C-alpha cells in the first residue's frame, strides 16, 4: 500500500523517518522532543562527523512551500556542518524537484539521493515491514496491515481459555462454548437485548453516544464495537447472539453503512428473525443520512437523527416504550466498555492553559428602558403593523399599542397617519427581559422574544446599510460580503497587537463563487451577547464580479458540503474576523441603532475564554498557509452519489 502520510502528526512523521533512515543506513539516530529543531530532527554523532536527519511533513502544503522553507533554513544547516545531511519529506518528489531542493539546501547536501520523498518512504516501508507495523498511526486505515496484526493477535488468543470477549459471551446461547460445535440454544433464553447493526469505524462515534443513553433508560444494548473488531473470527458468535437474544434491532441507515457486507449479513439474519417472530417492527431504522431502500424494510418508518441526535433519541425511546421492549428501570447498568473504547480515540490533554476564541460578540451597552405607547383612539391593526414594519427603527405591535425604544416625538412623526399614541409606560429593560410585565400582561418568555426580535431588526438594518448581500436561510437571515465590498480572491486584513493576518471572504472554486457571511443571534444567557453563525453562499461564476445567483437550495447544500468540507477551524475563524473588519474597520465597537437616541453597542472582537488545559493536536499548517491550501480553493469534483451520501 502507498501511504500519503496524512494520518501522521509532525512528531509521528519525524519518528517514522528516523526509524526508516536509521535502518537503511545502519545507524541509530537520536530523536528530540517537539520544539525548535535547529534544522535537525535526528542525529548520529561519531568521531568522523555528524549525520543529521531533518523531516518535513509538508504533504498538504506542497513542494513550493517546502522549497521556500529549505531556502530559509540554509544558514542553519550550514552552521551544523554535518558529515552527511539527509532530508525526508512527505511530499511526492520528481527528479527535478530533488535537484531544486539540492540547490536550496546548499553544500551540506552531498547528493540529491539523500533527499527522500513520499515514494522513497513507501519503498522503505515495503522493505522494512516491521517498521510499518510498529507505527500504528500510519496503518490505522490500512486493511492489509490491520488484518495481519489482528489476525495474528486473535490466532494467539483463540487458544486461550475464555477467548470470547466477555461482552459477547454473556449474550451467547447457554449451550454454546468456545472450540466446540455450537449446540441449539435453550428455548428459555430471554430476548432482552437491543442490537445495533452498524459499520466500523464510520458509525463508532454515534454508537458510543447512543448506547450508554439507552442503557441509562434500563435497556440492554449490544454492538460489535464491544468485541474490539477482531477480524471476522467472531461473526458466527455474533450471529448466534443476534438470533437468540435480540428483542429489537436498530439499523443505522445511511449509504456508507448499508454498503458494508457485514451489515448486509446482519440485516439478512434480522429479517429472517422478524419473520420467525412475526414481528413487523423487529428492525427499527435510524436515519443518519441519505440511504437507498433496503429490501424487506423499505417501507419501515425510520427514526430521524438527521435533524438532531437529541430529537432522534427522544423519538426512539418513545417507540421502544410503545413496543414494550424489555428494560430494567430499577437496575440500569451502563457498560464501562463504552467509555473505555471512547477514550482510546480521545485527544490527550496537556496541563497547559490555552486561550480559546469564541463566536460571541459581547453587548456592552443597551438602553435602560423600553417604552409602551398606548393608542388614544381607534386604530386599524393591519395599518398599524404595516407602519411598524416600515418604521426606521425596530418596534413591535402590542395589542393596539406600540412597544419601542423611540421617544414621543419620533412616534408622533412616524405614526400620525395611523393614529395618536401617547407614552403609557417606561419599563426597565433588564426587568422586562427577566420578568416580563404585569402592567402589559406580557410573560417573561414573550418579553424576551420581543426584545430578541427587535435586536435582530437592528442588526439587519446595520448590515443592509453597509451593502451586504442578504439571504434568507431556513433558520435565519444571513448577510454576506458583496462583490462591492470584497473582490473575488481579495484578502481582508484583520488582527491587532502583532497578530496581523488576512482572509478571503469571496473566492472562486469549481466554477462557482463563494461568499462568506454570518447570521447573528441575540442571546441574554449567560450574559448579553450576539452569537455569530458562519454561512457560505454560492453563485455561478460567469466572469462577472457577482456571478449568477443560485435558487436551488439542494444545490447550495451540495456545494457547501463539497467546497467547504476541507476548511479548518483557522479558516472559518479567520473569515469571521475579516467579516467583522468589514463591519467596523476603524472602531472597536459596532453600534446598532434602536432609535435616533438609543442604540446597542457590541464589541467588534469576539470574546476570548481561558481553559486550564489544552490538547495535543498537531498544527500542520502555518496560519497563512490555510488560505493557499488546496482545500480552500475547492477539492476535486465529487460525484452526485458522494455529495448525497
Amino acid at each position: 500500500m502507498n501511504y500519503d502520510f496524512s494520518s501522521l502528526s509532525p512528531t509521528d512523521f519525524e519518528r517514522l523517518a528516523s526509524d526508516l533512515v536509521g535502518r537503511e543506513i545502519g545507524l541509530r539516530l537520536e530523536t528530540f522532543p517537539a520544539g525548535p529543531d535547529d534544522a535537525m530532527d535526528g542525529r548520529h554523532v561519531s568521531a568522523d562527523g555528524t549525520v543529521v536527519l531533518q523531516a518535513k511533513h509538508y504533504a498538504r502544503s506542497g513542494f513550493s512551500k517546502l522549497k521556500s522553507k529549505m531556502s530559509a533554513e540554509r544558514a542553519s544547516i550550514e552552521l551544523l556542518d554535518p558529515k552527511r545531511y539527509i532530508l525526508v519529506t512527505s511530499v511526492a518528489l520528481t527528479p527535478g524537484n530533488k535537484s531544486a531542493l539540492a540547490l536550496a539546501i546548499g553544500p551540506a547536501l552531498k547528493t540529491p539521493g539523500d533527499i527522500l520523498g513520499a515514494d522513497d518512504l513507501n519503498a522503505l516501508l515495503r522493505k522494512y515491514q516491521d517498521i510499518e507495523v510498529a507505527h500504528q498511526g500510519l496503518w490505522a486505515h490500512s486493511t492489509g496491515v490491520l488484518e495481519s496484526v489482528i489476525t495474528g493477535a486473535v490466532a494467539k488468543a483463540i487458544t486461550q481459555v475464555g477467548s470470547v470477549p466477555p461482552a459477547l459471551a454473556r449474550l451467547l446461547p447457554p449451550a454454546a462454548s468456545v472450540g466446540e460445535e455450537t449446540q441449539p440454544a435453550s428455548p428459555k433464553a430471554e430476548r432482552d437485548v437491543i442490537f445495533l447493526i452498524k459499520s466500523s469505524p464510520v458509525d463508532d462515534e454515534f454508537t458510543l453516544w447512543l448506547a450508554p443513553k439507552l442503557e441509562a433508560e434500563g435497556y440492554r444494548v449490544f454492538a460489535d464495537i464491544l468485541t474490539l473488531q477482531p477480524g471476522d473470527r467472531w461473526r458466527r458468535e455474533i450471529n448466534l447472539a443476534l438470533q437468540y437474544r435480540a428483542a429489537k434491532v436498530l439499523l443505522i441507515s445511511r449509504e456508507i453503512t448499508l454498503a458494508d457486507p457485514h451489515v448486509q449479513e446482519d440485516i439478512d439474519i434480522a429479517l429472517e428473525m422478524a419473520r420467525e417472530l412475526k414481528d413487523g417492527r423487529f428492525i427499527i431504522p435510524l436515519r443518519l443520512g441519505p440511504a437507498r431502500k433496503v429490501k424487506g424494510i423499505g417501507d419501515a418508518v425510520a427514526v430521524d437523527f438527521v435533524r438532531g441526535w437529541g430529537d432522534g433519541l427522544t423519538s426512539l425511546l418513545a417507540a421502544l416504550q410503545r413496543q414494550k421492549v424489555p428494560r430494567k428501570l430499577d437496575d440500569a447498568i451502563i457498560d464501562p466498555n463504552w467509555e473505555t473504547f471512547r477514550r482510546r480515540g480521545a485527544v490527550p490533554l496537556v496541563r497547559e492553559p490555552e486561550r480559546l476564541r469564541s463566536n460571541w460578540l459581547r453587548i456592552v451597552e443597551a438602553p435602560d428602558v423600553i417604552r409602551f405607547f398606548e393608542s388614544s383612539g381607534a386604530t386599524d391593526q393591519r395599518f398599524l403593523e404595516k407602519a411598524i414594519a416600515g418604521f426606521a427603527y425596530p418596534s413591535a405591535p402590542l395589542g393596539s399599542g406600540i412597544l419601542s425604544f423611540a421617544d414621543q416625538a419620533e412616534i408622533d412623526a412616524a405614526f400620525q397617519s395611523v393614529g395618536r399614541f401617547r407614552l403609557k409606560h417606561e419599563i426597565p429593560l433588564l426587568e422586562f427581559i427577566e420578568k416580563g410585565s404585569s402592567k402589559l400582561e406580557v410573560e417573561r418568555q414573550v418579553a424576551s422574544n420581543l426584545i430578541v426580535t427587535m435586536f435582530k431588526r437592528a442588526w439587519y438594518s446595520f448590515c443592509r446599510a453597509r451593502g451586504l448581500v442578504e439571504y434568507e436561510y431556513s433558520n435565519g437571515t444571513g448577510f454576506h460580503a458583496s462583490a462591492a465590498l470584497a473582490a473575488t480572491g481579495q484578502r481582508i486584513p484583520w488582527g491587532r497587537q502583532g497578530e496581523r493576518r488576512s482572509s478571503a471572504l469571496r473566492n472562486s472554486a469549481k466554477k462557482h463563487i463563494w461568499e462568506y457571511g454570518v447570521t447573528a443571534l441575540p442571546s441574554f444567557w449567560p450574559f448579553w451577547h450576539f452569537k455569530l453563525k458562519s454561512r457560505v453562499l454560492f453563485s455561478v461564476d460567469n466572469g462577472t464580479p457577482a456571478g449568477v445567483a443560485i435558487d436551488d437550495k439542494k444545490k447550495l447544500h451540495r456545494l457547501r458540503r463539497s467546497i467547504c468540507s476541507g476548511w479548518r477551524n483557522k479558516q472559518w475563524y479567520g473569515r469571521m474576523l475579516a467579516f467583522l473588519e468589514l463591519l467596523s474597520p476603524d472602531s472597536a465597537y459596532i453600534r446598532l441603532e434602536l432609535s435616533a437616541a438609543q442604540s446597542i453597542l457590541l464589541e467588534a472582537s469576539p470574546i476570548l475564554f481561558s481553559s486550564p488545559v489544552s490538547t495535543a493536536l498537531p498544527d500542520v499548517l502555518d496560519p497563512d498557509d490555510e488560505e493557499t491550501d488546496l482545500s480552500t480553493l475547492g477539492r476535486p469534483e465529487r460525484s452526485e452519489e458522494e455529495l448525497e451520501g
Side-chain angles (χ1 to χ4, degrees):
M1 174 178 179
N2 276 343
Y3 296 102
D4 63 5
F5 306 100
S6 60
S7 62
L8 297 181
S9 69
T11 301
D12 291 337
F13 181 74
E14 290 171 10
R15 291 170 181 166
L16 174 66
S18 178
D19 288 350
L20 287 173
V21 173
R23 180 73 64 84
E24 180 67 8
I25 65 178
L27 297 175
R28 186 185 71 83
L29 296 173
E30 300 174 84
T31 57
F32 308 99
D37 58 17
D38 295 321
M40 177 171 56
D41 296 310
R43 178 181 66 183
H44 176 81
V45 180
S46 62
D48 60 344
T50 302
V51 177
V52 170
L53 166 74
Q54 189 164 28
K56 293 294 184 184
H57 195 5
Y58 270 56
R60 295 182 181 175
S61 301
F63 173 73
S64 61
K65 290 286 184 181
L66 174 63
K67 181 182 174 184
S68 298
K69 186 67 172 177
M70 297 314 300
S71 297
E73 292 192 3
R74 178 168 177 166
S76 299
I77 296 171
E78 291 178 352
L79 283 174
L80 293 173
D81 190 24
K83 178 185 75 171
R84 184 177 182 184
Y85 177 83
I86 303 172
L87 173 65
V88 180
T89 178
S90 54
V91 178
L93 300 176
T94 65
N97 293 153
K98 290 188 177 183
S99 297
L101 286 172
L103 289 173
I105 295 169
L109 184 78
K110 307 308 179 188
T111 170
D114 280 344
I115 300 176
L116 283 71
D119 293 334
D120 302 307
L121 290 179
N122 278 295
L124 291 177
L125 284 169
R126 289 190 289 272
K127 184 176 180 180
Y128 304 116
Q129 295 183 9
D130 60 315
I131 294 179
E132 179 184 25
V133 172
H135 288 265
Q136 181 179 351
L138 181 68
W139 50 260
H141 301 292
S142 169
T143 304
V145 179
L146 191 60
E147 285 184 352
S148 175
V149 173
I150 293 180
T151 301
V154 173
K156 181 178 179 180
I158 198 71
T159 60
Q160 301 175 2
V161 178
S163 56
V164 176
L168 177 57
R170 291 194 297 268
L171 304 183
L172 292 177
S177 61
V178 179
E180 301 176 1
E181 289 298 320
T182 303
Q183 301 299 320
S186 165
K188 296 181 180 179
E190 184 181 0
R191 290 191 172 276
D192 60 351
V193 174
I194 294 176
F195 258 75
L196 270 77
I197 296 181
K198 55 177 282 296
S199 176
S200 294
V202 294
D203 296 326
D204 287 353
E205 180 184 1
F206 176 73
T207 301
L208 292 171
W209 176 86
L210 176 64
K213 290 175 173 56
L214 291 176
E215 289 186 338
E217 294 293 325
Y219 296 105
R220 191 171 186 180
V221 183
F222 177 80
D224 63 0
I225 196 172
L226 290 186
T227 69
L228 308 185
Q229 301 296 302
D232 292 334
R233 296 297 184 91
W234 303 118
R235 293 304 304 173
R236 184 184 64 171
E237 285 78 7
I238 290 174
N239 293 345
L240 286 170
L242 172 58
Q243 286 177 300
Y244 293 105
R245 297 300 300 274
K248 288 290 177 184
V249 169
L250 305 182
L251 169 62
I252 296 180
S253 178
R254 55 181 164 187
E255 202 63 45
I256 190 171
T257 302
L258 298 179
D260 188 328
H262 291 324
V263 170
Q264 289 296 323
E265 181 181 342
D266 288 342
I267 291 174
D268 291 341
I269 295 173
L271 287 170
E272 183 179 340
M273 294 309 304
R275 289 190 291 270
E276 185 176 316
L277 297 172
K278 298 180 181 180
D279 183 357
R281 297 173 176 171
F282 185 64
I283 303 175
I284 302 176
L286 310 181
R287 189 167 73 91
L288 265 73
R292 57 181 173 79
K293 290 186 176 181
V294 178
K295 186 177 180 181
I297 56 173
D299 58 346
V301 177
V303 179
D304 186 9
F305 280 84
V306 174
R307 294 182 180 275
W309 288 6
D311 293 340
L313 176 63
T314 300
S315 300
L316 175 60
L317 291 174
L320 295 175
Q321 189 170 354
R322 285 196 305 270
Q323 297 179 34
K324 296 180 171 54
V325 178
R327 62 172 175 162
K328 297 178 180 178
L329 281 173
D330 298 333
D331 190 25
I333 299 175
I334 299 178
D335 194 322
N337 286 315
W338 303 117
E339 180 65 14
T340 300
F341 196 96
R342 186 188 66 80
R343 286 182 178 176
R344 285 180 181 163
V347 176
L349 294 179
V350 179
R351 292 191 176 277
E352 296 176 359
E354 181 179 6
R355 191 172 66 171
L356 302 176
R357 301 177 175 95
S358 75
N359 59 338
W360 290 8
L361 303 182
R362 189 190 301 272
I363 299 175
V364 293
E365 286 185 13
D368 294 328
V369 298
I370 183 78
R371 299 184 177 98
F372 175 71
F373 296 88
E374 183 182 57
S375 172
S376 58
T379 58
D380 188 302
Q381 194 67 24
R382 290 176 300 174
F383 288 163
L384 175 60
E385 292 176 0
K386 185 176 180 180
I388 289 175
F391 187 33
Y393 302 109
S395 302
L398 193 61
S400 59
I402 302 171
L403 193 67
S404 180
F405 292 97
D407 59 22
Q408 184 69 64
E410 290 175 287
I411 295 296
D412 290 342
F415 296 97
Q416 59 182 348
S417 62
V418 180
R420 296 177 62 84
F421 299 88
R422 62 181 181 86
L423 179 61
K424 178 70 173 179
H425 298 294
E426 280 193 341
I427 306 167
L429 181 58
L430 183 61
E431 177 186 320
F432 186 67
I433 291 172
E434 293 183 347
K435 300 179 180 179
S437 172
S438 57
K439 297 176 182 178
L440 301 179
E441 298 182 351
V442 175
E443 296 180 353
R444 181 196 62 81
Q445 190 60 55
V446 174
S448 177
N449 291 343
L450 284 170
I451 302 303
V452 164
T453 301
M454 294 167 76
F455 281 12
K456 279 184 181 179
R457 283 195 58 194
W459 173 267
Y460 296 165
S461 297
F462 176 84
C463 292
R464 289 166 185 155
R466 275 151 183 76
L468 297 174
V469 176
E470 184 174 353
Y471 186 82
E472 194 68 33
Y473 293 91
S474 59
N475 59 347
T477 301
F479 288 90
H480 297 259
S482 65
L485 294 175
T488 303
Q490 178 186 354
R491 302 273 289 273
I492 308 297
W494 58 265
R496 298 179 177 86
Q497 297 178 354
E499 196 190 6
R500 294 297 291 176
R501 281 182 49 197
S502 61
S503 300
L505 295 177
R506 301 179 72 257
N507 213 337
S508 179
K510 298 202 271 190
K511 301 178 182 180
H512 290 85
I513 296 173
W514 57 260
E515 299 175 329
Y516 177 86
V518 303
T519 294
L521 306 170
S523 178
F524 303 117
W525 189 90
F527 47 80
W528 290 24
H529 66 276
F530 272 61
K531 180 171 67 176
L532 303 184
K533 180 175 182 179
S534 293
R535 304 285 196 178
V536 184
L537 192 61
F538 294 88
S539 58
V540 177
D541 189 351
N542 66 343
T544 63
V548 180
I550 300 173
D551 294 328
D552 187 344
K553 294 186 182 297
K554 290 185 178 180
K555 182 176 181 180
L556 290 172
H557 178 65
R558 290 196 298 268
L559 287 168
R560 288 185 200 105
R561 293 187 62 185
S562 173
I563 293 177
C564 304
S565 60
W567 293 5
R568 287 167 287 273
N569 287 341
K570 282 184 180 178
Q571 291 165 289
W572 286 108
Y573 191 73
R575 301 196 201 295
M576 182 178 70
L577 293 183
F579 186 85
L580 291 172
E581 285 289 332
L582 283 186
L583 298 185
S584 182
D586 300 321
S587 173
Y589 300 98
I590 296 172
R591 188 175 295 277
L592 309 181
E593 294 183 349
L594 298 174
S595 73
Q598 300 290 343
S599 60
I600 317 167
L601 197 64
L602 309 180
E603 290 182 343
S605 297
I607 298 171
L608 297 177
F609 298 94
S610 180
S611 169
V613 296
S614 57
T615 56
L617 287 172
D619 191 6
V620 177
L621 294 181
D622 294 331
D624 282 336
D625 288 339
E626 296 282 346
E627 285 300 324
T628 57
D629 188 64
L630 286 178
S631 62
T632 303
L633 305 178
R635 291 182 170 181
E637 288 285 354
R638 298 162 66 192
S639 66
E640 289 293 322
E641 289 77 9
E642 289 178 310
L643 292 174
E644 292 291 347

